[in-house]
């Protein structure tokens, strides 16, 4: 008796395909590549904030969302070398999240 082939979901291939189109942000002449979609933790935080009625990123949420979106090394550079203000960081997070949200919507 032969063993049937296993069912396989090649999620590695899916992830590689999804990452083929990064989101680039340019600050101070430096380009930073972000994944083509946000980490799940950031997306879930965004959903929670939108359900709470927030129209901008609250100041107490900025650090967590920024670290999740950009990663700690990039965030450290943005606030250190690029000297982003809190208002600029809030605006950058909002723009990145808007792009991610637009990319997640299926076309009409």
């Amino acid at each position: 008796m032969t063993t049937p082939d296993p069912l396989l979901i090649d999620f590695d291939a899916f992830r590689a395909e999804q990452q083929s189109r990064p989101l680039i942000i340019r600050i101070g002449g430096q380009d930073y590549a972000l994944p083509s979609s946000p980490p799940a933790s950031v997306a879930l935080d965004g959903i929670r904030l939108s359900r709470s009625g927030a129209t901008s990123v609250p100041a107490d949420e900025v650090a967590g969302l920024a670290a999740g979106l950009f990663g700690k090394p990039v965030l450290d550079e943005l606030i250190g070398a690029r000297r982003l203000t809190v208002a600029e960081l809030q605006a950058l997070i909002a723009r990145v999240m808007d792009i991610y949200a637009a990319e997640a919507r299926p076309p009409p």
Side-chain angles (χ1 to χ4, degrees):
M1 178 174 212
T2 63
T3 305
D5 290 337
L7 298 175
L8 173 67
I9 296 173
D10 188 349
F11 211 73
D12 289 340
F14 171 79
R15 289 181 98 185
E17 181 181 319
Q18 296 300 307
Q19 297 304 323
S20 65
R21 187 174 174 220
L23 169 60
I24 306 293
I25 56 172
R26 181 172 294 144
I27 301 173
Q30 177 70 39
D31 288 352
Y32 300 92
L34 303 179
S36 57
S37 61
S41 62
V42 173
L44 294 173
D45 283 344
I47 291 167
R48 179 182 50 77
L49 287 172
S50 67
R51 286 185 178 163
S52 73
T55 56
S56 64
V57 180
D60 61 340
E61 299 277 351
V62 170
L65 284 173
L69 278 176
F70 309 126
K72 183 148 175 39
V74 170
L75 178 59
D76 288 347
E77 186 170 331
L78 294 177
I79 60 177
R82 304 295 168 212
R83 303 193 49 85
L84 288 185
T85 65
V86 172
E88 290 171 332
L89 189 55
Q90 286 174 301
L92 181 61
I93 291 168
R95 287 182 182 219
V96 168
M97 293 298 283
D98 286 347
I99 289 172
Y100 280 150
E103 288 293 311
R105 285 188 207 111

